Amino acid sequence: MTFTFKAPPGDKSALETGPDFTPKFDEKGLVTAVVTDAGDGQLLMVAHMNEEALALTLESGVAHYFSRSRNRIWKKGETSGNLQMVKEIRTDCDQDAVWLKVTVGGHDATCHTGRRSCFYRTVSLVDGAPVVAITDEHRHFDPDEIYSGSNKA
Amino acid sequence: MTFTFKAPPGDKSALETGPDFTPKFDEKGLVTAVVTDAGDGQLLMVAHMNEEALALTLESGVAHYFSRSRNRIWKKGETSGNLQMVKEIRTDCDQDAVWLKVTVGGHDATCHTGRRSCFYRTVSLVDGAPVVAITDEHRHFDPDEIYSGSNKA
């Protein structure tokens, strides 16, 4: 990291309209990252970034996250080849979330199941019970082959 | 609430391909909610839901969240009139996030600043410093008027 982020300003107006990007990391040091395809806007995944992941992403133009399950920096696609090239980054009014518009390399798949998007299921109530239904069964790669012996990244 | 959610299954395959919606609430009892416009797919906001907010949303078809700052259920638009009618709900591979496709009532604005989306700023590095630039100045309502004496909802 060649820079650090300034602390969020106490003044709400400065936070919402000032010139500085001052991400509000939570008590675990994370912000939420929403990732969409820069082409058609499809929601691909939701992940988290710590300060280092966010800085690496800004510096390199390739998406890095913080894996909560593995407790380490996670260069998305480092195993599968499905790297995410960042075309635009946005932040929201209170700067505790970022939105990455990306193009996906490799198989053009983001989900570790091989699907394009992690959001491959709809949710509804059926007879009063919350159920899911799979809306996308197309696999861009075979996860058993790609991740054999490796972490799912 | 007329129902409760089952606990997430221990088996990963059941979590990713089974019929039940078993949201994985974090240690604070929350899942992340990503909200897009059902029409053009624009990312509008990111928020959080506890079990009650998620159940109310499923039952009523109107988006409810959990306000971390106010520590209570938050029917989005209850003050501003910008209610969110839910057209589709999706969940991701590990079921710790939901995606709501909504149509927005009232002023068709989601951000408390009066803008359509909370993500009204781009982030970049300029001379090595992380800065933001406002890309949307169009206000659909005057926040001072709408929220005078009220919480921003």
Side-chain angles (χ1 to χ4, degrees):
Chain A
M1 285 172 51
T2 57
F3 65 91
T4 53
F5 297 101
K6 292 183 188 175
D11 177 58
K12 197 171 167 64
S13 172
L15 179 68
E16 295 176 357
T17 63
D20 294 326
F21 179 45
T22 54
K24 193 166 100 186
F25 298 100
D26 69 10
E27 65 282 356
K28 292 180 181 169
L30 302 174
V31 293
T32 302
V34 175
V35 186
T36 64
D37 187 288
D40 67 1
Q42 169 77 23
L43 177 62
L44 300 176
M45 62 182 277
V46 172
H48 295 83
M49 290 177 161
N50 64 0
E51 185 167 358
E52 184 183 358
L54 188 48
L56 283 170
T57 301
L58 270 165
E59 287 173 343
S60 69
V62 177
H64 293 68
Y65 304 99
F66 182 78
S67 169
R68 295 178 299 175
S69 58
R70 283 168 276 155
N71 200 42
R72 68 166 175 86
I73 291 287
W74 164 38
K75 183 180 180 181
K76 173 68 186 171
E78 60 194 4
T79 303
S80 67
N82 291 296
L83 295 172
Q84 297 176 341
M85 279 60 72
V86 179
K87 300 304 171 187
E88 185 177 295
I89 303 179
R90 291 193 178 214
T91 192
D92 65 349
C93 43
D94 55 1
Q95 300 200 33
D96 66 352
V98 294
W99 170 18
L100 274 60
K101 300 183 186 181
V102 305
T103 56
V104 179
H107 314 87
D108 191 20
T110 292
C111 188
H112 73 280
T113 64
R115 295 176 178 88
R116 183 177 173 218
S117 166
C118 295
F119 290 85
Y120 58 85
R121 290 176 294 185
T122 56
V123 176
S124 62
L125 288 181
V126 173
D127 297 333
V131 299
V132 291
I134 295 177
T135 55
D136 178 17
E137 272 295 17
H138 178 59
R139 313 292 178 115
H140 293 228
F141 63 81
D142 177 355
D144 290 338
E145 178 187 331
I146 294 290
Y147 296 123
S148 60
S150 298
N151 281 318
K152 295 182 171 57
Chain B
M1 284 173 51
T2 58
F3 65 92
T4 53
F5 298 102
K6 292 183 188 175
D11 177 58
K12 198 171 166 65
S13 172
L15 179 68
E16 294 176 356
T17 63
D20 294 325
F21 178 45
T22 54
K24 193 166 100 186
F25 297 100
D26 69 10
E27 65 282 357
K28 292 179 180 169
L30 302 174
V31 292
T32 303
V34 175
V35 187
T36 64
D37 188 287
D40 67 1
Q42 169 77 24
L43 178 62
L44 300 176
M45 61 182 277
V46 172
H48 295 82
M49 291 177 162
N50 63 0
E51 185 167 356
E52 184 183 359
L54 187 49
L56 284 169
T57 301
L58 271 165
E59 288 173 343
S60 69
V62 177
H64 293 68
Y65 304 99
F66 182 78
S67 169
R68 295 178 298 176
S69 58
R70 284 168 275 154
N71 200 41
R72 68 166 176 85
I73 292 287
W74 163 37
K75 183 179 181 180
K76 173 68 185 171
E78 60 194 4
T79 303
S80 67
N82 292 296
L83 296 172
Q84 296 176 341
M85 279 61 71
V86 179
K87 301 304 173 187
E88 184 177 295
I89 303 179
R90 292 194 177 212
T91 192
D92 65 349
C93 42
D94 55 3
Q95 300 200 32
D96 65 352
V98 293
W99 170 18
L100 273 60
K101 300 183 187 181
V102 305
T103 57
V104 179
H107 313 87
D108 191 20
T110 292
C111 188
H112 74 280
T113 64
R115 294 175 177 90
R116 183 177 173 217
S117 167
C118 294
F119 289 85
Y120 56 86
R121 290 176 293 186
T122 56
V123 176
S124 62
L125 288 181
V126 173
D127 297 332
V131 299
V132 290
I134 295 176
T135 55
D136 177 17
E137 271 295 16
H138 178 59
R139 313 294 177 114
H140 294 229
F141 63 81
D142 177 355
D144 290 338
E145 179 187 328
I146 294 289
Y147 296 122
S148 61
S150 298
N151 280 318
K152 295 182 171 58

